[in-house]
Structures are given as structure tokens and as C-alpha cells.
Amino acid sequence: GVEVAGVEVEAVTTLEPLPEYRSAAVGQFKFEYLDHTADVQLHAWGCDLAEAFEQCGLAMFNYMSPLEHVRLRETRTYRAEGHDLSSLLFAFLDELLFEFNTELFLAAAVHITRLDREAWVIEAEGRGERFDRSRHEVGTEIKAITYSAMSIAEREGDAEVFVIVDI
Amino acid sequence: GVEVAGVEVEAVTTLEPLPEYRSAAVGQFKFEYLDHTADVQLHAWGCDLAEAFEQCGLAMFNYMSPLEHVRLRETRTYRAEGHDLSSLLFAFLDELLFEFNTELFLAAAVHITRLDREAWVIEAEGRGERFDRSRHEVGTEIKAITYSAMSIAEREGDAEVFVIVDI
């Protein structure tokens, strides 16, 4: 209410503010687009689990910026812990992604130096360089690793993994 | 087996063909990207259900090609049938999408001439023109309408719909 001449009255016209979401509408139209969701499935393989994991890491980096332009100029080390194979793969990829998000470090070669299936620890080295807008192509941002439909298969002399990541 | 000098022998080296999915691998790497999935949520509103539906159709066209470049040169008619409000909205949008996919017709104005909630029929007119690569921007392809989290709300003098479409 508003006080007019000492008497509290209701304001004649009450224009309620637009709900927040409507303020993003497109031009004169009465519609808008809400956040889209998207994901892509990475599939990587190798002659053993370590190589499949390494290749999965490279798949991730290559999606963010084509690795053909990334030079092997410095080495970073990664360490990840889990409690089984799936959580170890998740933590490993998450660690690579974290290093990119905080340091912009793109690895064009990844080597797992320790894959411990009792302590569930991975230690790895990545060789590459920091993202440089002038030389590197911008690919698609990877927002998060997911456990969705994650699959890890190991056979004699062969291993492969499937990981869905949010983009 | 192969016949050599009249004796059937096993070929010494059997190179099995790569599984189909591996043949799409990126360069020297042992990984590939499997189809990504993506969707976007359309949110449209109006002073009644018909206007919210119309605006939802426009939201769809505008996502595929910005409507500011689309001229009102011809009129098409649409007809859709359902068995309740959700299926009617689905069928209506599906009909607009079908007309685009088969005839490349983009409507920049949509008018529902009949919204029959007993027979569950919509009849509508779209004004616009066929997609012309030289004048129209290419937006994002809409692959399918979905029922996922579809929501239709009607209030006195106000209506809104939410529809998730696959892109």
C-alpha cells in the first residue's frame, strides 16, 4: 500500500516485474531458449588398460583443441586416486581436466607411469604446452566427466573404455 | 582356408578387419568420438494457449534460422491432431518441423485458426518463405520434438509451454 493524504490505499496499477526468465526473451517474440545440455561419448583403446586410459585422456584434450597443433614443450605430472577401476578412470580424467581448467595445460602425449590396482592410484606424465590462442584451435569445452554408461573392458592384449563427458 | 598346391592350408597371417567403429579413429590416435546428444529447452508464452503454441513454433523456426531475415512471402497451412493437450502440442510442432524438413519452409509468423479441445485438432497458418542459403543464416538443426519434461500451463489471461527438442 501507498499513503495518500494520510490514508493508506492500494496503488491503482501494480505492474509486477517480469519473471527473471522472461527478461531474456528474443526481440518482440514471446519465447526464449533455456540452457541446452549436450554430451559426447569418448571411446579409446590400446593394448592394455594403461594405454586405453592414456588415449582417453588424449581424446579429451583433442576435443578441446586439436592436438596436431600442440607441441611437446613441457612435462606435467598427474596423480589420481579411486576405489575401483571406474572411479580411478574418472579421477584420472578429472585431474587432466582440472589441470587444463586451472593452468590451460594441453597434453599431446600422456604416459601412465603407475597404475596401481591395489591402492587404486594412477600417476602419469603429460607432455605438451599451455593453450595459446594464437596457435591453437578452440574446440569444444568439456564441462565435466560423467559416470553415465561408463564402460571399461580388458581382454588379452587389448583394452577399451567408453566415457561420456558433458560439453 | 586357401588352397595351395592342392592342399588346403590356413593362411599364415590372418589380419582381421578393424571393427567398424575403430576405422573412424583420429589420425594415429587410438580414440574416436561417438555421436553426441544435445537438446535445448524452448519456453514460450502468450495471453492464451494458442499464442503460447504459436510462439513455441516460432521459437523452433528461429533456432533453425533467425527469423529477422525471413520475409512473409507465402502462406502455408498446417493441421495436427492429438488426444490431449501434450500430444496436440507435440503433433503441431512436429508438423511445422516436417514442413521445414520436406519443403524448407520457414514461418516467421504463425497463426492458429482452430484449437479444438474436444476433437484435439489444431489448424494453423504460417507465413514466411522457403529457406534460401544466400539470405538466411543457418542456425542449429532441430532433429526431433520430445515429450521430455514437457509442460503446459494455463492461467487467466496467460499461458506458457516448455518443450525440449533434440538438436
Side-chain angles (χ1 to χ4, degrees):
Chain A
V2 178
E3 253 189 73
V4 178
V7 184
E8 191 172 327
V9 296
E10 287 302 310
V12 177
T13 308
T14 307
L15 278 178
E16 288 192 23
L18 275 176
E20 184 70 31
Y21 59 76
R22 290 200 176 175
S23 61
V26 178
Q28 82 277 29
F29 297 117
K30 296 178 174 179
F31 61 73
E32 60 169 351
Y33 304 106
L34 302 179
D35 276 357
H36 67 281
T37 62
D39 59 52
V40 64
Q41 189 174 35
L42 311 179
H43 174 215
W45 56 93
C47 62
D48 58 18
L49 212 57
E51 190 182 14
F53 278 30
E54 290 163 359
Q55 291 289 329
C56 195
L58 293 178
M60 201 171 68
F61 285 123
N62 185 67
Y63 203 71
M64 297 190 286
S65 185
L67 295 185
E68 59 190 309
H69 307 298
V70 177
R71 294 181 290 196
L72 308 179
R73 297 172 74 184
E74 40 173 321
T75 300
R76 301 277 173 121
T77 58
Y78 304 106
R79 184 188 158 88
E81 290 182 38
H83 57 272
D84 58 14
L85 221 42
S86 298
S87 58
L88 195 55
L89 176 56
F90 184 99
F92 171 61
L93 296 175
D94 207 37
E95 178 66 17
L96 301 187
L97 190 57
F98 177 79
E99 194 71 13
F100 176 76
N101 286 335
T102 55
E103 296 280 318
L104 293 181
F105 186 73
L106 286 166
V110 171
H111 179 55
I112 291 181
T113 52
R114 176 182 172 208
L115 198 168
D116 186 331
R117 293 164 83 152
E118 293 191 354
W120 300 112
V121 169
I122 282 181
E123 288 168 0
E125 282 178 0
R127 292 174 61 211
E129 61 180 337
R130 294 180 69 167
F131 178 80
D132 174 348
R133 183 180 298 269
S134 69
R135 289 186 299 107
H136 296 142
E137 254 178 71
V138 176
T140 301
E141 185 196 3
I142 291 182
K143 293 181 182 149
I145 318 300
T146 82
Y147 279 108
S148 171
M150 183 186 283
S151 163
I152 301 173
E154 226 179 344
R155 289 174 294 270
E156 183 68 30
D158 188 31
E160 66 181 330
V161 302
F162 292 85
V163 180
I164 291 177
V165 296
D166 289 335
I167 56 177
Chain B
V2 179
E3 255 188 72
V4 177
V7 184
E8 191 173 326
V9 297
E10 287 300 310
V12 177
T13 309
T14 306
L15 280 177
E16 288 192 21
L18 277 175
E20 184 70 31
Y21 58 77
R22 291 200 176 174
S23 62
V26 178
Q28 80 278 30
F29 297 117
K30 296 178 175 178
F31 62 72
E32 61 170 350
Y33 304 106
L34 302 179
D35 275 358
H36 67 281
T37 61
D39 58 53
V40 64
Q41 188 174 35
L42 311 179
H43 174 215
W45 56 92
C47 62
D48 58 19
L49 211 57
E51 190 183 14
F53 279 30
E54 291 164 358
Q55 291 289 329
C56 196
L58 293 178
M60 203 171 66
F61 285 123
N62 185 66
Y63 203 71
M64 296 190 287
S65 185
L67 294 184
E68 58 189 308
H69 308 298
V70 177
R71 294 181 291 197
L72 308 180
R73 296 172 75 184
E74 40 172 322
T75 301
R76 301 277 173 122
T77 58
Y78 304 106
R79 184 189 158 87
E81 290 184 38
H83 58 271
D84 58 16
L85 221 41
S86 298
S87 58
L88 195 55
L89 175 55
F90 184 99
F92 171 61
L93 296 176
D94 207 38
E95 178 67 15
L96 300 187
L97 190 58
F98 177 80
E99 195 72 13
F100 177 76
N101 286 333
T102 54
E103 296 280 317
L104 293 181
F105 186 74
L106 286 167
V110 171
H111 180 56
I112 290 180
T113 53
R114 177 183 172 208
L115 199 169
D116 185 330
R117 295 165 81 152
E118 293 190 353
W120 299 112
V121 169
I122 282 182
E123 288 168 0
E125 283 179 359
R127 293 175 60 213
E129 61 180 337
R130 294 181 69 166
F131 178 80
D132 173 347
R133 184 179 296 268
S134 69
R135 289 186 299 107
H136 296 143
E137 256 179 70
V138 176
T140 300
E141 184 196 4
I142 290 182
K143 292 180 182 148
I145 318 300
T146 83
Y147 279 108
S148 172
M150 182 185 283
S151 163
I152 301 173
E154 224 179 345
R155 288 174 294 270
E156 182 67 31
D158 188 29
E160 66 183 329
V161 301
F162 292 85
V163 179
I164 291 178
V165 295
D166 290 334
I167 55 178

